[in-house]
Amino acid sequence: MPRSHGLYISYCTDYPNQVHQLIVSVSKRVYVLKNRELKFQKKPVDINLDNFQKAERNLLIHYIIRDHFSNAFYGEIHEKEAPEDVRNFLYRAWSQKEDYPFCGIPDSMIVTKTVQRFAPEIVDLLSRLNVKIIDSTSGFQAGIRIIRTWEEELKFHYKMAPELKTIEDVQFNIDRFCNYINNRSKRNKASNITIWENDVKDLRLPKAEDFLLRNE
């Protein structure tokens, strides 16, 4: 699965849910207003997952799981003032959903050291679930490109969809939002989620008791 390319290592996967990528990233351009609407700004703020609590604005925190084989992904948005437990997010990401087919625990998962510092409890969780951790080795693996796409979609739907103005609007409709983004075909190729559905093998679904979920 790993392939060396000089100074970095890439990964070639053979089927969906073989390798997932976990991305937790503080937005540099999107924050939540007092009326709960999202606000987009052109100039990025100098902030990251290690120091986001120092930010004056209530910035978004993006949580995303991407399947390496198909590029299909599930994501959520939360806010700096109420960051989500990553275990809760992973449970939802890997569970079956009513409006989006993506689900299943992977064999391995790419996780940056920054995310491991933010949520050290996931190291034990993944060990108990027999999910191998792969350290990220590049900006691509850290999720730079997918975060850009994710925020562009948020901005587009904020402008075009009156039901997606506040953070709660997006959170309530997140399954349909993810399904819409991942169902689009690109250059006459099948959509991400179609590739995932056509090639996914046996699903390993999460059990709530394995995740030590909060507020359940």
Side-chain angles (χ1 to χ4, degrees):
M1 190 167 62
R3 293 182 178 180
S4 176
H5 296 274
L7 297 177
Y8 68 94
I9 297 175
S10 65
Y11 287 86
C12 179
T13 45
D14 300 313
Y15 51 86
N17 290 2
Q18 184 179 10
V19 175
H20 283 180
Q21 174 186 16
L22 172 62
I23 302 163
V24 183
S25 178
V26 181
S27 178
K28 298 178 181 296
R29 300 178 184 272
V30 191
Y31 59 96
V32 184
L33 296 172
K34 289 183 179 180
N35 67 359
R36 310 301 291 160
E37 286 193 11
L38 301 182
K39 178 69 176 180
F40 300 82
Q41 62 184 41
K42 291 184 179 180
K43 185 178 180 180
V45 296
D46 185 16
I47 205 77
N48 57 52
L49 205 58
D50 289 322
N51 61 12
F52 73 97
Q53 291 291 2
K54 297 179 181 179
E56 295 181 2
R57 289 174 171 169
N58 189 11
L59 299 169
L60 284 190
I61 304 179
H62 304 298
Y63 295 68
I64 297 173
I65 277 288
R66 181 183 75 94
D67 176 59
H68 190 276
F69 178 84
S70 64
N71 282 322
F73 62 87
Y74 170 82
E76 294 180 1
I77 60 172
H78 296 276
E79 54 189 309
K80 185 202 80 171
E81 302 302 330
E84 178 62 299
D85 186 323
V86 174
R87 293 170 297 182
N88 287 348
F89 166 71
L90 290 176
Y91 178 74
R92 291 189 293 270
W94 292 335
S95 294
Q96 290 181 313
K97 307 165 188 62
E98 183 176 347
D99 294 314
Y100 185 41
F102 184 84
C103 62
I105 298 172
D107 301 330
S108 302
M109 190 160 72
I110 300 170
V111 188
T112 66
K113 292 297 186 184
T114 301
V115 172
Q116 292 180 46
R117 288 195 300 271
F118 174 74
E121 64 274 10
I122 67 172
V123 175
D124 176 66
L125 170 66
L126 296 180
S127 176
R128 287 188 285 109
L129 293 174
N130 198 27
V131 176
K132 179 183 177 182
I133 292 180
I134 302 172
D135 292 331
S136 66
T137 57
S138 68
F140 176 78
Q141 287 186 355
I144 294 174
R145 185 179 300 176
I146 195 170
I147 289 296
R148 185 184 305 119
T149 300
W150 178 250
E151 290 197 340
E152 288 173 353
E153 291 292 342
L154 282 174
K155 186 174 183 179
F156 174 79
H157 285 82
Y158 175 86
K159 291 181 177 180
M160 301 300 294
E163 70 276 13
L164 294 177
K165 296 296 185 184
T166 69
I167 183 172
E168 286 82 9
D169 291 339
V170 179
Q171 289 171 334
F172 181 76
N173 292 285
I174 201 65
D175 289 0
R176 283 180 287 172
F177 182 68
C178 291
N179 199 31
Y180 174 82
I181 297 172
N182 283 277
N183 251 313
R184 290 180 302 193
S185 301
K186 299 178 181 179
R187 297 180 182 178
N188 298 319
K189 295 182 180 180
S191 67
N192 293 343
I193 197 61
T194 298
I195 295 172
W196 183 89
E197 286 186 290
N198 288 343
D199 291 281
V200 71
K201 296 183 178 181
D202 294 335
L203 289 172
R204 186 159 64 104
L205 297 175
K207 299 177 182 179
E209 57 267 25
D210 292 333
F211 285 73
L212 303 175
L213 298 180
R214 297 177 184 173
N215 302 322
E216 289 289 323

